């Protein structure tokens, strides 16, 4: 029986103690939640797909010099990562109006933004992740100004790179959420990209059909979530083992390229 120590359990992932000090095992669950856990379901195969897609994106980002917590994928549902001190701020980068910004500012979904916009949200389930400004982040000591600068520049760099990567496979990166952690090495500390980047925390639209290939399929009861994530994996050239067979009666999401 597996006796690993569980460090933390979130809505979609579990963190276990890793094999070496300073490492953790990040386990991807099949649970899908939305609207601060008011909507909850298990979607077979989601965790496996997110593990593989996030591995791929973190590796590509690592190759261009973006510092991340990722070390290696261990199996279908788990990856080895560096233990970091998570900064309690979600960083959202937006290229196109959708979701909460469209609602907040009365914009039509799909309207291109004049430039990429970075927003911060305080990580708090009880409060429903409220939007905050740099003033709140520094006043409440969640991060210092230099850390905010680092998070913004890494998030924008990742956004530029990921926009191009997805464009190359016929997908528009509408927006995404990322998280950062402090990684201590001896006496020095640096900010690294942590958590995951997967269709659970991005909006990905097919460029031709505008079909949603992300978690909005769950949030908006569109169905076909696993099929959409499989399509993203397929276009990235990933072979994801042991995929559940797509529901043949479900919606046909995208044209084949
Ligand atoms: P919005 O603020 O429009 O709801 O979300 C903006 C982007 O950030 C979307 O791609 C959404 O998936 C992602 N996002 C925002 N908050 C969360 C969160 O708490 N969990 C996950 N998985 N993604 C989030």
């Amino acid at each position: 029986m597996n006796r690993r120590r569980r460090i933390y359990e979130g809505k979609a992932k579990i963190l276990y103690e890793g094999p070496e000090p300073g490492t953790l095992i990040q386990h991807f669950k099949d649970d899908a939640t939305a609207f601060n856990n008011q909507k909850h379901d298990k979607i077979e195969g989601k965790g496996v797909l997110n593990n593989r897609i996030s591995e791929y994106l973190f590796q590509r980002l690592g190759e261009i010099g973006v510092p991340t917590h990722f070390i290696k994928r261990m199996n279908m549902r788990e990856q080895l990562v560096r233990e970091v001190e998570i900064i309690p701020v979600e960083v959202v980068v937006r290229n196109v109006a959708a979701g909460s910004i469209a609602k907040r500012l009365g914009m039509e979904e799909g309207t291109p933004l004049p430039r990429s916009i970075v927003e911060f949200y305080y990580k708090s389930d009880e409060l429903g992740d409220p939007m905050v400004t740099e003033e709140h982040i520094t006043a409440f000591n969640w991060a210092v100004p230099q850390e905010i600068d680092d998070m913004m520049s890494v998030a924008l760099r990742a956004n530029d790179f990921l926009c191009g990567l997805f464009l190359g496979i016929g997908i528009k990166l509408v927006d995404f959420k990322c998280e950062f952690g402090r990684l201590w090495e001896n006496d020095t500390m640096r900010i690294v990209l942590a958590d995951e980047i997967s269709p659970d925390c991005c909006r990905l639209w097919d460029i031709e059909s505008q079909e949603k290939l992300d978690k909005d399929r769950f949030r908006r009861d569109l169905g076909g979530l696993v099929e959409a994530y499989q399509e993203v994996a397929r276009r990235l050239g990933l072979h994801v083992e042991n995929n559940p067979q797509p529901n043949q009666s479900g919606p046909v999401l995208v044209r084949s390229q």
Side-chain angles (χ1 to χ4, degrees):
M1 182 166 161
N2 197 340
R3 294 238 168 249
R4 287 182 305 192
R5 195 157 70 91
R6 196 167 58 175
I7 308 281
Y8 169 83
E9 177 153 7
K11 285 173 275 191
K13 292 191 293 296
I14 307 174
L15 289 175
Y16 294 101
E17 193 173 54
E20 309 282 342
T23 65
L24 294 175
I25 291 168
Q26 182 165 257
H27 176 107
F28 288 76
K29 301 193 283 186
D30 280 340
D31 298 59
T33 63
F35 314 119
N36 204 16
N37 231 353
Q38 287 172 42
K39 188 171 154 78
H40 184 209
D41 206 350
K42 256 195 195 318
I43 301 183
E44 199 188 328
K46 180 176 84 75
V48 172
L49 283 153
N50 280 346
N51 185 26
R52 191 73 182 85
I53 293 170
S54 192
E55 171 200 21
Y56 179 83
L57 298 176
F58 271 75
Q59 278 178 334
R60 298 291 81 76
L61 286 165
E63 283 163 9
I64 62 154
V66 170
T68 83
H69 74 158
F70 181 82
I71 302 173
K72 65 169 184 180
R73 184 167 62 92
M74 305 190 70
N75 56 47
M76 278 165 56
R77 286 192 182 272
E78 294 176 333
Q79 44 185 247
L80 186 65
V81 299
R82 293 196 193 287
E83 184 172 21
V84 298
E85 185 186 307
I86 288 285
I87 294 176
V89 171
E90 295 183 346
V91 181
V92 169
V93 186
R94 301 181 187 273
N95 302 302
V96 173
S100 69
I101 195 175
K103 200 168 166 194
R104 196 181 327 120
L105 301 182
M107 298 174 79
E108 193 179 336
E109 282 212 321
T111 312
L113 297 170
R115 61 178 169 81
S116 301
I117 292 176
V118 179
E119 296 172 344
F120 301 108
Y121 294 83
Y122 177 50
K123 267 170 73 72
S124 163
D125 284 345
E126 302 88 79
L127 301 174
D129 297 345
M131 192 176 177
V132 293
T133 68
E134 296 186 35
E135 276 287 283
H136 301 106
I137 298 173
T138 52
F140 296 118
N141 257 323
W142 298 325
V144 299
Q146 181 62 54
E147 292 173 329
I148 299 176
D149 286 353
D150 289 352
M151 290 194 289
M152 275 188 83
S153 67
V154 172
L156 285 169
R157 181 136 188 262
N159 180 55
D160 280 350
F161 179 77
L162 294 174
C163 276
L165 184 147
F166 281 116
L167 188 61
I169 54 169
I171 292 174
K172 192 192 297 180
L173 178 61
V174 170
D175 55 36
F176 69 101
K177 181 267 298 184
C178 53
E179 297 187 22
F180 292 88
R182 299 183 182 96
L183 178 63
W184 294 90
E185 281 161 331
N186 303 319
D187 279 347
T188 59
M189 185 276 290
R190 61 192 173 119
I191 298 290
V192 302
L193 193 61
D195 194 53
E196 68 179 296
I197 300 184
S198 72
D200 261 12
C201 48
C202 299
R203 283 199 174 89
L204 302 169
W205 294 356
D206 179 79
I207 281 172
E208 296 278 315
S209 66
Q210 307 300 312
E211 199 95 46
K212 296 182 198 319
L213 302 174
D214 56 61
K215 198 172 147 189
D216 272 351
R217 300 210 70 85
F218 172 73
R219 296 187 188 102
R220 302 182 187 194
D221 290 323
L222 300 172
L225 179 128
V226 163
E227 292 84 344
Y229 287 25
Q230 278 172 345
E231 178 62 16
V232 173
R234 186 189 70 77
R235 291 197 201 179
L236 289 170
L238 304 177
H239 172 69
V240 182
E241 314 133 65
N242 206 19
N243 273 343
Q245 283 303 303
N247 176 2
Q248 296 302 333
S249 62
V252 176
L253 290 175
V254 284
R255 71 183 174 89
S256 54
Q257 286 192 316

